[in-house]
Structure formats: structure tokens, C-alpha cells
Amino acid sequence: MNASHPLAAAAFGLALLVAAPAQAQFATPEEAVKQLYALYGTGKTDLMGLPNEPKVLRRFFVPAIVQGYAKAELIDADFFVQGQDFELSDVRIAPATTSGDKATIAVDLQNMGQPVHLDFELAKGKDGWRIADARTPKGDTLRKMLARSR
């Protein structure tokens, strides 16, 4: 047996593992929101939050939101933490309420000691669940924020 075969198989397997997360969508709406907040971590971290990279945005959001980020010129604050800086704690993601290919999820968290509540709207496509919008209790939405930032 040629020694290069196990290495080639291992390299191919590693390539599949690396490529899969960038393209795979989320099997549940809760997983989409949970993985979004995993980009922020909790407490003091070196994490940067949501990267403004097209492949990451396409993984998490419906095309209209991805286009909104692409057209945005100046975003004053991170919508998902409701601030420019973040140090998250007590992140609570409620179970989704689903109706067909739509879902809503309530999220409560503390950002730098201040309470934040958001209601997420998600849509299920052929690849899985993506975030379609998010709303604050005051009625501001992710889509509106992106439109204002043009």
C-alpha cells in the first residue's frame, strides 16, 4: 500500500470539514441564533462579533440582509448587542415558535450590564434556517438599520 493514500484521504477529509461549515445552513432556527451569538462569546473575549465577510453573512442571513450589509456605508452600532462595544452575559435564547417555513425567537442578554431584548425572524430555505430580520422592543429592525446606513 502506498503511504500517500492515507495522507491524501486525511487531507481530503480535512478539506471537507473546513469547507462544510462555511456553506452549511442551520438545521433549526435556534441553532442559527445560537451560532450567531457564539461569534461574540461571553464575558471579556478577543472575539470580534459578526464579521462583515460575504460568506459568513450568507451563512447566517437571507439574501436581502446580506445585500443590506453590502450596501451599508456606516453602521454606528452592532444591532445584535445594541452597542458599539460588547461584553455579553446571561444570553438566553428561547425556543422557536414556528409556522411552516417561518420562525420567531426571543433573545434576552446582558451587554456590559445593560439588558437587551431582540425578537428574531427566521426563514427556512432548501438549505436550512437563516435570519430574516430582528426587532427591538421599540420597533427598530435590522433591515431598517441597514437601510439607514446607506
Side-chain angles (χ1 to χ4, degrees), residues 59-87:
R59 180 171 187 231
F60 282 95
F61 302 103
V62 297
I65 299 293
V66 175
Q67 291 168 0
Y69 273 105
K71 293 177 182 177
E73 293 180 17
L74 177 64
I75 298 176
D76 292 346
D78 187 316
F79 193 85
F80 302 109
V81 298
Q82 293 292 291
Q84 292 180 339
D85 299 317
F86 62 90
E87 186 176 319

Side-chain angles (χ1 to χ4, degrees), residues 31-48:
E31 188 64 22
V33 176
K34 178 181 173 187
Q35 290 302 313
L36 175 74
Y37 280 103
L39 296 171
Y40 296 86
T42 56
K44 290 188 181 207
T45 72
D46 291 333
L47 297 176
M48 300 300 292

Side-chain angles (χ1 to χ4, degrees), residues 5 17 25 28-30 46-48 51 60 62-63 79 89 91 105 107 110 112 129 143 147:
H5 288 272
L17 287 174
Q25 298 308 311
T28 66
E30 293 90 351
D46 291 333
L47 297 176
M48 300 300 292
F60 282 95
V62 297
F79 193 85
S89 62
V91 178
I105 295 179
V107 173
Q110 296 281 319
M112 300 181 80
W129 291 93
R143 287 178 188 247

Side-chain angles (χ1 to χ4, degrees), residues 2 4 14 23 54 68 78 84 92 108 110 119-120 136:
N2 188 334
S4 66
L14 181 59
Q23 296 177 13
D78 187 316
Q84 292 180 339
R92 295 182 313 273
D108 289 288
Q110 296 281 319
D119 291 310
F120 284 79
T136 68

